[in-house]
Amino acid sequence: MNFSSVSFSSGMHTSISEILKEKSLKPSRRSLPCLAQSQTHPTNLNHFLSVPLSPEPKPEVEGLSQSISTSWRILTLARTKTYCTSGTLSCFLPDGKDHFVEESEHTEKQSFVLDKTLLFQRKKPTDSSGLFFRDGKKRIDYILVYKKSSPQVEKRCTFEKNLRAEGLMLEKEPSLTNNDIMFVKIHATWDTLCKYAEQMNIRMPFRKKCYFTDWKSKTLGRCRQIKSWLPRNPMKLDKEALPDLEETDCYTAPFSRARMHHFTINNRETFFSNSTRSRIVHHVLQRTKYEDGKSKMGINRLLGNNTYEAAFPPHEGGYKSRHSIKTHGAQNHRHLLYERWARWGMWYKYQPLDLIRRYFGEKIGLYFAWLGWYTGMLIPAALVGVFVFLYGLLTMDASQISKEICEANTTIMCPMCEENCEPWTLSDSCVYAKVTYLFDNGGTVFFAIFMAIWATVFLEFWKRRRAELTYDWDLIDWEEEEEELRPQFEAKYSRMERVNPISGKPEPFQPFSDKLSRLMVSVSGIFFMISLVLTAVFAVVVFRLIAMEKFASFNWYFVKKNWQFATSGTGVCINFMIIMSLNVVYEKVAYLLTNLEHPRTESEWENSFALKMFLFQFVNLNSSTFYIAFFLGRFAGRPGKYNKLFSRWRLEECHPSGCLIDLCLQMGVIMFFKQIWNNFMELGYPLLQNWWSRRKMKKGGGGGQNVENKAQLPQWDKDWNLQPMNAHGLVDEYLEMVLQFGFTTIFVAAFPLAPLLALLNNIIEIRLDAYKFVTQWRRPMPARATDIGIWHGILEGIGVLAVITNAFVIAITSDYIPRFVYAFKYGPCVNKRHHHGNECLQGYVNSSLSVFDMGELNNRNHSGYCRYRDYRAPPWNTVPYEFTLQFWHVLAARLAFIIVFEHLVFGIKSFIAYLIPDMPKDLCDRMRREKYLMQEMMYEAELEHLQKERKKNGKRYHHEWP
């Protein structure tokens, strides 16, 4: 869909007939597309008028409308201001005591009968799906749910009376599954939709697009012919499978009742889509008062004080059909989304983003567009990661280091503990060394650089993709409406007011001192929770130290031989359980701290909550990984002088082949099990809840009818028994993917298979989320958004952090730098011109191991010399156990590598970001071209309309503006 910068001024409006009768028009040709006439529009149009309102109303229809409106006002006044709905009559009569009495919902037979000349006879219900009022004509745009036992009757009556005054039509219906539940069905009439569409500046289609000139059309036609010869892309959805979304082929402009004849209104029932109708009704619900007072308005406050139990737009019918969609077509958009998007068989297909946007709104559409883009960009990253892993697998047997470790039958290593442990042979860790080589080989540095560049390319191209979507979805010129204040904020600061600089109205105000003090308390809470995370990591470290001694002296030979795997594996599993347990605590703490800050609006609350949840879960998820990557084995000491924790447990040291395998195991286990757990909580938990609701419904647990067949229930009852969308909106969805993005990029040098696991998870995640939105959740309110919000900044921060951490992982955690220094400084290839990897690394293992005299341990059972991993002088040296020159060379090379790597990668990232513009050039040209065409067409359409009217009235007309 397209945009233009054309906007209509929203002044006072008259009826369309008065526009046509106007004698002279003063705006110039240049100002015409941007200005609307200063007119007024009738505010009380009769809701029962069934004569179609065409863009050019006839005098007879106008007269009928006026007579019906007049008669209806007289009849209403004669009924002592009784406020009724059409359909089911639900009236609220003033009783003289400043409160309202709600009549029974089943008083339809007692309703007064209107004159047949004024209103059409009530017809029998023609719809059984629960999508319309009882007359089968008025579409349900929103559902309110309340309990009959609720004491908030007065607020509800006032609110519903004011809704009718705003032009909405209401009809009540009792629940079939619970006698205490009552549904309020809301329908927005055509005039109400037009009125608020103009106020909200909703863009609507008015003319077909025309992108290309004749020669471009011919060139495009030839390209299509060539493309038709190529094999069809199996990932694309069939065009026949999706409905023709008409507005995608039309120019759009902000809707205006004064310019209604400009818009292509073929059918008043379908001109406003269901999501647009629901958004308009939600807009009215948010701004309707329920009591006298500045802040006594809005459905959110009524939901908060339990006046209503829920408010949601209805789903468009069922998502399943007895008949095949190929032969009988889709029953509704929900059925179409299920068949072409949410079904597991569509896992390899592109997502129907336009249909998702039309059904769920732009905010949810952008989430799935971002998720699909992220998943697609993971494909090259996963392929390169698999190639790096396969390279290590294929060259594992040819690795010089693995060979030396596996053949070191005479190399005696120092005991792992000082009491019950025995010296062991280096060749016992042959398998451990080979597995380490899979993830620590020559491709590690290349893959780390590739992933740093990949993260930049992903974010830069997402900006371009977002620009295209905002253009297609009419979001370029859209600005968020001034948000209403949160009820909690108003209640807290109702006595302190200041003038809003935007609206010019007084509103509650939070003093800076109060805001700062609350922010400091919140920050203190964040640091306390982070310290709790570090305490949990410390507990896991202590467990690893105890487990290391136990496994190294275990009676079972298999465990004793593979004590490294046993220690790391059990430590990771316990750490994972702690992580998942603390996540539950963190969510509650983040919720409390965010409420303590008293954010002004809902978006501020959501951003603050999202940032806290990300900080908590990021630290919780990655703290133990940071320990293994940068602290494990760095402060262990040496035999005879080991550093001990609490003078009791010896600190853990790395394997002779390096510490990278511990980091890899940590990442693999946490990533795999966390994805399984998240997928279960996303789909399994709602499935269990909905199953329990259906079970109670069949047994008549709510006091209602015993409904055996769910198909007998109307749509509002079915939706009520579904689970509501998360209270935090899309925060949980984005948080899961952003944490995965961090896991995929931050330590990717240690685990090249991370992008592959993320890709497989996201393929499942898209269909899980789709299935959940379509089948397990109530339909959320279709909200608008132009981007992914605060998450884009978090993703950019993770991209910067990934460069730094990968530089340290390669330099410190892996053995890449020690091997490089040995090959070019101490190996057999030092004086040779040509260097071959395996040849130059001969003797590397022996060079990386130091010698210790076991006689210094005062243990009679141990004598002779043993080896340990370090660069220290032998015991027979003049200065025993001092760091050798090779140690300082390796340290200097590591620091130099970190500086060079970071500057190189950051330079490449900045250069790529500079080369890739945020908006495609052809999109900029198209927007400028269509802006020009828009102005011309608006002028031509208005001129043609005026000429027709003047010709009809027998007046002279000119081809230029009068």
Side-chain angles (χ1 to χ4, degrees), residues 507-742:
E507 66 177 20
F509 167 68
Q510 183 180 17
F512 177 77
S513 58
D514 182 79
K515 186 175 184 178
L516 181 62
S517 60
R518 291 179 179 276
L519 187 62
M520 293 300 295
V521 173
S522 180
V523 171
S524 301
I526 293 174
F527 278 108
F528 173 77
M529 296 306 299
I530 291 177
S531 64
L532 181 62
V533 175
L534 299 179
T535 304
V537 173
F538 180 77
V540 174
V541 171
V542 173
F543 169 80
R544 288 175 65 103
L545 299 180
I546 298 174
M548 180 184 68
E549 290 189 3
K550 299 298 181 182
F551 288 137
S553 59
F554 210 69
N555 294 329
W556 189 7
Y557 176 76
F558 177 78
V559 176
K560 185 176 182 180
K561 183 180 179 180
N562 299 283
W563 61 269
Q564 296 102 330
F565 282 114
T567 302
S568 299
T570 53
V572 169
C573 292
I574 291 178
N575 185 43
F576 174 75
M577 290 187 288
I578 293 175
I579 288 173
M580 301 313 297
S581 301
L582 289 179
N583 278 347
V584 179
V585 179
Y586 295 153
E587 183 174 352
K588 296 181 179 179
V589 172
Y591 189 82
L592 290 175
L593 291 179
T594 306
N595 286 335
L596 179 66
E597 295 175 7
H598 286 296
R600 179 174 171 273
T601 62
E602 287 295 334
S603 62
E604 290 179 7
W605 188 96
E606 185 175 324
N607 288 338
S608 178
F609 179 76
L611 185 60
K612 291 181 181 62
M613 286 295 293
F614 170 75
L615 289 175
F616 288 160
Q617 294 209 19
F618 181 81
V619 174
N620 186 33
L621 193 64
N622 294 284
S623 55
S624 58
T625 311
F626 271 90
Y627 163 75
I628 293 175
F630 305 126
F631 297 98
L632 179 64
R634 310 297 167 205
F635 311 101
R638 62 172 180 83
K641 197 177 180 181
Y642 281 115
N643 296 323
K644 295 185 178 181
L645 185 65
F646 304 132
S647 301
R648 172 73 174 83
W649 296 292
R650 196 176 104 187
L651 294 181
E652 199 173 355
E653 58 182 321
C654 293
H655 185 267
S657 60
C659 289
L660 201 67
I661 186 61
D662 295 275
L663 179 59
C664 175
L665 186 63
Q666 175 86 7
M667 291 184 61
V669 171
I670 290 180
M671 193 172 185
F672 178 76
F673 284 107
K674 189 174 187 302
Q675 289 177 349
I676 292 178
W677 175 257
N678 287 340
N679 290 337
F680 169 76
M681 291 301 294
E682 282 192 9
L683 184 62
Y685 186 64
L687 280 174
L688 290 175
Q689 286 182 313
N690 290 334
W691 171 81
W692 183 253
S693 298
R694 290 194 300 269
R695 187 172 180 271
K696 288 172 56 179
M697 189 169 49
K698 288 182 178 179
K699 292 185 176 181
Q705 302 176 18
N706 190 344
V707 182
E708 293 293 337
N709 187 5
K710 186 181 177 182
Q712 298 175 358
L713 292 176
Q715 190 61 46
W716 53 81
D717 244 324
K718 295 177 183 177
D719 290 351
W720 166 245
N721 289 308
L722 295 177
Q723 297 302 310
M725 187 179 176
N726 290 336
H728 312 135
L730 293 171
V731 170
D732 293 338
E733 313 296 332
Y734 276 115
L735 179 63
E736 179 186 354
M737 290 295 103
V738 169
L739 290 175
Q740 185 204 81
F741 178 81

Side-chain angles (χ1 to χ4, degrees), residues 409-429:
N409 298 321
T410 58
T411 303
I412 305 299
M413 302 298 294
C414 296
M416 295 305 300
C417 56
E418 298 177 356
E419 296 181 1
N420 302 321
C421 299
E422 300 291 331
W424 53 285
T425 307
L426 181 59
S427 59
D428 293 342
S429 61

Side-chain angles (χ1 to χ4, degrees), residues 748-866:
V748 73
F751 190 47
L753 293 180
L756 178 64
L757 289 181
L759 174 63
L760 297 177
N761 174 79
N762 286 6
I763 291 174
I764 299 173
E765 178 76 18
I766 290 175
R767 304 305 157 180
L768 275 180
D769 284 348
Y771 185 83
K772 178 176 62 180
F773 272 92
V774 174
T775 69
Q776 301 302 310
W777 278 359
R778 297 173 195 159
R779 187 178 183 180
M781 202 285 293
R784 305 200 89 186
T786 57
D787 53 30
I788 61 176
I790 194 176
W791 300 107
H792 189 274
I794 293 176
L795 289 171
E796 289 185 333
I798 290 175
V800 173
L801 182 62
V803 176
I804 301 172
T805 54
N806 280 304
F808 276 88
V809 167
I810 295 171
I812 296 176
T813 311
S814 75
D815 272 6
Y816 176 80
I817 298 300
R819 292 197 299 263
F820 183 83
V821 171
Y822 177 81
F824 289 91
K825 184 66 177 177
Y826 299 96
C829 299
V830 173
N831 298 323
K832 296 181 180 180
R833 294 183 178 180
H834 302 286
H835 298 272
H836 187 270
N838 288 334
E839 181 183 349
C840 297
L841 289 176
Q842 289 180 2
Y844 167 77
V845 174
N846 184 63
S847 173
S848 64
L849 298 177
S850 300
V851 181
F852 176 72
D853 185 4
M854 288 189 290
E856 299 180 15
L857 295 176
N858 298 323
N859 192 332
R860 297 179 180 179
N861 298 326
H862 300 158
S863 60
Y865 295 104
C866 66

